[in-house]
Amino acid sequence: MDVRRLTGKTVLVTGAASGIGRATALAFARRGARLAICDLDEAGLAETAKRTRDLGGEVLVRRVDVARSEEMQALAETVHSEVGVLDILMNNAGVAIGGGFLHTGLDDWNWIVNINLMGVVYGCHFFLPRMVERGRGGHVVNVSSAAGYVAGEAMAAYATTKFAVLGLSEALRAELVRHGIGVTAVCPGIINTPITRNARMLGPGGMAAIQDEVIAMYQRRGYTAERVAENILRAVQRNRAVAPISPEAWAMYYAKRFAPGLLARLGARLTARMTARVAGGGA
């Protein structure tokens, strides 16, 4: 899909109150798109809407929990009646859990699966049929993760949901090509966004200290959501199936395919170091 100029096109971005969602929504707006945005964070959502309007863009704003099918259905009805059928659907809303399987309870599983996976399913379910029916093509962007192809024991639940999003995206791409609709699974990598600060850290008490270290590492890495947004638009323009974004995401992508044994050993070594720090109280 040509995204160099999006005047007259309609784009929905979920999880648009901050981070990659906000940055990509604004990138779409700069190219002339008419936006629909949603999130649970009303203050952040209002700020994204303000920045969009400052750019001269049109924006429909709704507080929506993507984990609730009835709210996603209501959003679709509003979008279709007020701004029309989507040209681009971006399923971005997501949360994170740090911790192994044995420390992850069923409530935590339900929380992350309902947001990270079912939120994407609901977005596709309620918006894609109208895009197909209209017959003018379009594009779907599903935000997965480098954890969608490289899983570690400290991210069991998160990786499970992101693997699922990647798999769903591949299946959708095969099905929707006949309708002229492209599908891209975005796998950002280590990006400085609020998801690390808002993650649930499960397990021994020292995990809280590990979370602080992870946040600091992401901040030092300094790969911004704005850079991710530009790369997402580039991936849509090129109709890429999978779009690793940061250099480390690309490195893991190729290592998984060509040196999986080495990647597994490095992962085990990193996990051992984290376990030792947790056992020592994060010191």
Side-chain angles (χ1 to χ4, degrees):
M1 179 177 177
D2 189 353
V3 296
R4 289 171 294 184
R5 288 183 57 82
L6 291 171
T7 303
K9 304 295 185 182
T10 301
V11 179
L12 169 67
V13 180
T14 70
S18 63
I20 292 170
R22 172 185 285 172
T24 311
L26 294 176
F28 284 131
R30 290 187 190 96
R31 299 191 184 194
R34 180 191 306 113
L35 291 182
I37 59 174
C38 69
D39 205 298
L40 281 174
D41 177 1
E42 293 183 273
L45 201 57
E47 177 62 22
T48 304
K50 177 183 180 300
R51 295 191 191 185
T52 300
R53 294 182 180 117
D54 288 345
L55 293 169
E58 300 177 47
V59 57
L60 180 148
V61 184
R62 290 292 184 274
R63 182 188 184 277
V64 173
D65 183 351
V66 300
R68 300 180 65 87
S69 62
E70 64 274 20
E71 293 192 23
M72 288 296 284
Q73 181 176 12
L75 174 66
E77 291 170 356
T78 299
V79 169
H80 290 145
S81 65
E82 296 191 20
V83 296
V85 177
L86 298 181
D87 295 284
I88 299 175
L89 166 64
M90 181 171 172
N91 291 303
N92 165 74
V95 293
I97 287 177
F101 181 85
L102 295 179
H103 291 115
T104 306
L106 291 182
D107 287 344
D108 296 305
W109 275 103
N110 288 332
W111 178 68
I112 198 168
V113 168
N114 286 338
I115 296 170
N116 286 9
L117 176 57
M118 294 311 299
V120 176
V121 171
Y122 295 146
C124 293
H125 177 79
F126 290 115
F127 289 97
L128 272 176
R130 292 289 296 272
M131 293 172 69
V132 170
E133 180 183 290
R134 181 184 57 178
R136 285 178 15 207
H139 207 93
V140 178
V141 177
N142 293 329
V143 178
S144 178
S145 170
Y149 46 79
V150 177
E153 66 174 89
M155 302 182 73
Y158 182 73
T160 297
T161 61
K162 293 305 185 177
F163 264 75
V165 169
L166 185 57
L168 171 61
S169 300
E170 291 183 0
L172 280 174
R173 184 176 174 90
E175 180 176 354
L176 296 177
V177 64
R178 66 184 68 104
H179 301 290
I181 298 173
V183 180
T184 298
V186 174
C187 302
I190 299 176
I191 312 300
N192 186 21
T193 72
I195 193 170
T196 54
R197 294 189 291 276
N198 298 328
R200 292 184 182 181
M201 302 300 286
L202 308 177
M207 288 296 289
I210 296 297
Q211 183 173 23
D212 291 340
E213 291 186 18
V214 170
I215 292 170
M217 179 188 71
Y218 275 54
Q219 290 172 338
R220 288 194 302 271
R221 175 67 180 86
Y223 202 107
T224 66
E226 287 72 23
R227 290 177 67 185
V228 176
E230 289 304 316
N231 278 283
I232 288 174
L233 267 65
R234 189 174 300 117
V236 174
Q237 181 72 36
R238 297 174 180 175
N239 191 24
R240 293 189 50 204
V242 182
I245 301 296
S246 64
E248 59 275 4
W250 276 107
M252 288 188 286
Y253 182 74
Y254 285 118
K256 180 70 172 183
R257 280 148 182 77
F258 301 116
L262 173 61
L263 189 63
R265 288 194 296 274
L266 290 174
R269 191 174 302 171
L270 177 60
T271 299
R273 289 177 59 190
M274 289 179 60
T275 302
R277 292 188 68 81
V278 169

Short mmCIF file of all heavy atoms in Angstrom, two decimals, residues 190-192 197 212 214-223:
data_model
loop_
_atom_site.label_atom_id
_atom_site.label_comp_id
_atom_site.label_asym_id
_atom_site.label_seq_id
_atom_site.Cartn_x
_atom_site.Cartn_y
_atom_site.Cartn_z
N ILE A 190 14.30 -3.66 21.37
CA ILE A 190 14.48 -2.89 22.61
C ILE A 190 14.19 -1.41 22.33
O ILE A 190 15.02 -0.69 21.79
CB ILE A 190 15.91 -3.06 23.16
CG1 ILE A 190 16.15 -4.54 23.49
CG2 ILE A 190 16.12 -2.21 24.41
CD1 ILE A 190 17.56 -4.85 23.95
N ILE A 191 12.98 -1.01 22.70
CA ILE A 191 12.51 0.34 22.40
C ILE A 191 12.13 1.03 23.71
O ILE A 191 11.49 0.43 24.58
CB ILE A 191 11.28 0.31 21.47
CG1 ILE A 191 11.52 -0.61 20.26
CG2 ILE A 191 10.92 1.73 21.01
CD1 ILE A 191 12.69 -0.23 19.38
N ASN A 192 12.49 2.28 23.85
CA ASN A 192 12.22 3.02 25.07
C ASN A 192 10.78 3.51 25.08
O ASN A 192 10.46 4.60 24.60
CB ASN A 192 13.18 4.21 25.18
CG ASN A 192 13.04 4.93 26.52
OD1 ASN A 192 12.55 4.37 27.49
ND2 ASN A 192 13.46 6.18 26.56
N ARG A 197 7.90 0.01 32.04
CA ARG A 197 7.55 0.56 33.36
C ARG A 197 6.25 -0.02 33.87
O ARG A 197 6.03 -0.11 35.09
CB ARG A 197 7.46 2.09 33.28
CG ARG A 197 8.79 2.77 33.01
CD ARG A 197 8.70 4.27 33.17
NE ARG A 197 7.90 4.91 32.15
CZ ARG A 197 8.36 5.25 30.95
NH1 ARG A 197 9.64 5.00 30.63
NH2 ARG A 197 7.59 5.85 30.06
N ASP A 212 13.85 -2.37 37.33
CA ASP A 212 14.52 -1.07 37.29
C ASP A 212 15.71 -1.10 36.34
O ASP A 212 15.97 -0.14 35.60
CB ASP A 212 14.97 -0.67 38.69
CG ASP A 212 13.80 -0.35 39.61
OD1 ASP A 212 12.70 -0.06 39.09
OD2 ASP A 212 13.98 -0.40 40.84
N VAL A 214 16.10 -3.12 33.74
CA VAL A 214 15.60 -3.22 32.37
C VAL A 214 15.17 -1.85 31.86
O VAL A 214 15.49 -1.45 30.74
CB VAL A 214 14.44 -4.23 32.28
CG1 VAL A 214 13.76 -4.16 30.92
CG2 VAL A 214 14.93 -5.64 32.55
N ILE A 215 14.44 -1.12 32.70
CA ILE A 215 14.01 0.23 32.31
C ILE A 215 15.22 1.10 31.99
O ILE A 215 15.25 1.81 30.98
CB ILE A 215 13.16 0.87 33.43
CG1 ILE A 215 11.83 0.12 33.57
CG2 ILE A 215 12.92 2.35 33.14
CD1 ILE A 215 11.05 0.52 34.81
N ALA A 216 16.23 1.04 32.85
CA ALA A 216 17.44 1.84 32.64
C ALA A 216 18.14 1.43 31.35
O ALA A 216 18.64 2.28 30.60
CB ALA A 216 18.38 1.70 33.83
N MET A 217 18.20 0.13 31.07
CA MET A 217 18.83 -0.34 29.85
C MET A 217 18.09 0.17 28.61
O MET A 217 18.71 0.62 27.64
CB MET A 217 18.86 -1.87 29.82
CG MET A 217 19.48 -2.47 28.56
SD MET A 217 19.30 -4.26 28.46
CE MET A 217 17.54 -4.41 28.15
N TYR A 218 16.76 0.11 28.65
CA TYR A 218 15.98 0.60 27.51
C TYR A 218 16.20 2.09 27.30
O TYR A 218 16.28 2.57 26.17
CB TYR A 218 14.49 0.31 27.73
CG TYR A 218 14.05 -1.08 27.31
CD1 TYR A 218 14.70 -2.22 27.81
CD2 TYR A 218 13.00 -1.27 26.44
CE1 TYR A 218 14.30 -3.49 27.43
CE2 TYR A 218 12.59 -2.54 26.05
CZ TYR A 218 13.25 -3.65 26.55
OH TYR A 218 12.86 -4.89 26.17
N GLN A 219 16.30 2.82 28.42
CA GLN A 219 16.54 4.26 28.31
C GLN A 219 17.92 4.54 27.73
O GLN A 219 18.08 5.43 26.90
CB GLN A 219 16.36 4.92 29.68
CG GLN A 219 14.92 4.94 30.16
CD GLN A 219 14.79 5.42 31.59
OE1 GLN A 219 15.74 5.38 32.39
NE2 GLN A 219 13.60 5.88 31.96
N ARG A 220 18.93 3.78 28.18
CA ARG A 220 20.28 3.96 27.63
C ARG A 220 20.32 3.60 26.15
O ARG A 220 21.02 4.25 25.37
CB ARG A 220 21.29 3.11 28.41
CG ARG A 220 21.60 3.59 29.80
CD ARG A 220 22.83 2.89 30.36
NE ARG A 220 22.69 1.44 30.39
CZ ARG A 220 22.17 0.75 31.41
NH1 ARG A 220 21.75 1.39 32.48
NH2 ARG A 220 22.09 -0.56 31.35
N ARG A 221 19.58 2.57 25.78
CA ARG A 221 19.55 2.14 24.37
C ARG A 221 19.08 3.29 23.50
O ARG A 221 19.61 3.52 22.41
CB ARG A 221 18.63 0.91 24.23
CG ARG A 221 18.41 0.44 22.80
CD ARG A 221 19.71 -0.11 22.22
NE ARG A 221 19.50 -0.56 20.84
CZ ARG A 221 19.58 0.22 19.77
NH1 ARG A 221 19.85 1.51 19.93
NH2 ARG A 221 19.40 -0.26 18.57
N GLY A 222 18.06 4.00 23.94
CA GLY A 222 17.66 5.24 23.29
C GLY A 222 17.01 5.10 21.92
O GLY A 222 16.96 6.07 21.17
N TYR A 223 16.53 3.92 21.59
CA TYR A 223 15.83 3.75 20.30
C TYR A 223 14.39 4.21 20.51
O TYR A 223 13.63 3.61 21.25
CB TYR A 223 15.87 2.30 19.84
CG TYR A 223 15.68 2.13 18.35
CD1 TYR A 223 16.74 1.79 17.52
CD2 TYR A 223 14.44 2.33 17.76
CE1 TYR A 223 16.58 1.65 16.15
CE2 TYR A 223 14.26 2.19 16.40
CZ TYR A 223 15.32 1.84 15.60
OH TYR A 223 15.15 1.70 14.24
#
